[in-house]
Amino acid sequence: MVSHSGLLTVMERAARKAAPRLRRDFGEVEHLQVSRKGPADFVSMADKRCEQTLVEELRKARPDWGFLLEEGGVIEGDPAKPRWIIDPLDGTTNFLHGIPHFAISIAVEEPLPGGRREITTGLVYQPITDESYWAEKNRGAWRHDQRLRVSARRDLADALIATGIPFFGHGDVGQWTRIFGAVAPSVAGIRRFGSAALDLAHVAAGRYDGFWESGLQPWDVAAGILLVREAGGFVTDYRGGDQAIERKELIAGNDAIHSKLHKLVAGALR
């Protein structure tokens, strides 16, 4: 049995405390109370209840830490301490349509000198399959007790790439279309499953060989980025820099696939 830190234990305990209600609500998806949060952007009562449970559980363990939440926004904590970045239900549209592909994502962001911050711990938990992906800085990425490694494929022609597709009111359709036009003829396949947190977890596990998407929020990707990097992969923005979260755009994969995917994306955007 591989051991992880007490902090990761706190995170997993919180996710598993929230998960049973999420599973019950998923089983009763047709009865959920749903409100519109924006064009084609739904939020369910299940989402809100899950976030509330996570906040309550994490606050018990670290009462002076702040939060960055998908639903609740920013909750200030001690600025000298880390903060939690939480997506209680990544894949809400899947959830509301009865598609069993969604996850809870929790990350820890620690302050650095000079006002910068970095992600040091991440957890992506899939309540339906009971898969727990976790990573700690310099300790690797894991699915339960199994060490994760990014894919070893080197050629785009053999690569399965994941992405997100813009939808009504979200994303730049023209930009995505140009990138898709450059990538699609070069790869073995492209998949869009509707959860960036799980997409990145699957890159870390070697299921996908690469990933690109823009318009993502910190809570969508914070834990997943750490998973990929700790599994030996690379994550950058579209320019090849380290501002993926700030620019809300990212490319992920092993060294070879990332480099080749980056060239295609950059070429499509010239």
Side-chain angles (χ1 to χ4, degrees):
M1 291 282 291
V2 64
S3 64
H4 50 57
S5 70
L7 180 59
L8 210 294
T9 299
V10 166
M11 294 162 67
E12 182 145 12
R13 185 182 297 128
R16 290 184 179 277
K17 180 76 176 287
R21 182 63 180 266
L22 213 52
R23 285 191 289 265
R24 287 196 299 272
D25 284 341
F26 181 70
E28 299 291 332
V29 68
E30 67 272 18
H31 303 306
L32 286 177
Q33 303 174 54
V34 180
S35 61
R36 278 188 180 269
K37 192 169 58 173
D41 188 6
F42 298 100
V43 57
S44 69
M45 292 304 297
D47 202 333
K48 294 177 181 178
R49 284 193 293 259
C50 182
E51 184 172 279
Q52 182 180 4
T53 299
L54 294 170
V55 169
E56 290 172 355
E57 290 299 308
L58 296 172
R59 186 175 272 154
K60 288 177 188 176
R62 302 292 189 276
D64 51 353
W65 288 20
F67 291 84
L68 175 61
L69 306 166
E70 182 190 16
E71 301 302 332
V74 175
I75 299 176
E76 298 293 347
D78 183 339
K81 298 290 181 67
R83 70 172 177 175
W84 306 103
I85 301 179
I86 297 175
D87 190 339
L89 180 50
D90 186 59
T92 306
T93 301
N94 285 344
F95 186 92
L96 292 174
H97 285 263
I99 298 170
H101 188 80
F102 53 88
I104 296 168
S105 178
I106 307 172
V108 174
E109 183 186 60
E110 296 195 16
L112 296 175
R116 298 197 66 190
R117 307 179 74 91
E118 70 171 346
I119 307 301
T120 57
T121 312
L123 172 74
V124 174
Y125 179 68
Q126 219 292 30
I128 299 300
T129 61
D130 192 37
E131 287 185 302
S132 180
Y133 300 87
W134 59 274
E136 296 181 280
K137 186 180 178 183
N138 299 325
R139 293 200 64 208
W142 306 77
R143 181 175 60 244
H144 300 299
D145 298 329
Q146 178 186 357
R147 184 72 179 261
L148 298 181
R149 298 288 187 187
V150 291
S151 163
R153 294 185 181 89
R154 315 297 291 175
D155 296 325
L156 282 176
D158 300 323
L160 182 64
I161 307 297
T163 188
I165 301 174
F167 55 97
F168 181 63
H170 294 262
D172 185 331
V173 175
Q175 182 194 74
W176 185 88
T177 301
R178 293 195 301 275
I179 295 172
F180 179 82
V183 174
S186 302
V187 301
I190 295 176
R191 299 290 183 266
R192 198 282 194 195
F193 278 102
S195 169
L198 283 173
D199 286 342
L200 289 167
H202 291 172
V203 172
R207 292 172 174 173
Y208 294 139
D209 303 294
F211 172 79
W212 94 86
E213 190 171 352
S214 62
L216 295 167
Q217 299 296 331
W219 46 80
D220 298 319
V221 299
I225 286 173
L226 185 66
L227 281 166
V228 173
R229 287 174 173 164
E230 287 295 318
F234 290 79
V235 180
T236 68
D237 56 43
Y238 285 0
R239 303 180 188 186
D242 64 354
Q243 302 294 304
I245 291 179
E246 293 81 359
R247 295 185 183 278
K248 299 182 180 179
E249 59 187 34
L250 63 85
I251 301 170
N254 66 31
D255 58 342
I257 297 298
H258 176 276
S259 176
K260 294 171 182 178
L261 193 57
H262 172 244
K263 287 178 181 177
L264 290 176
V265 172
L269 298 180
R270 286 196 187 102

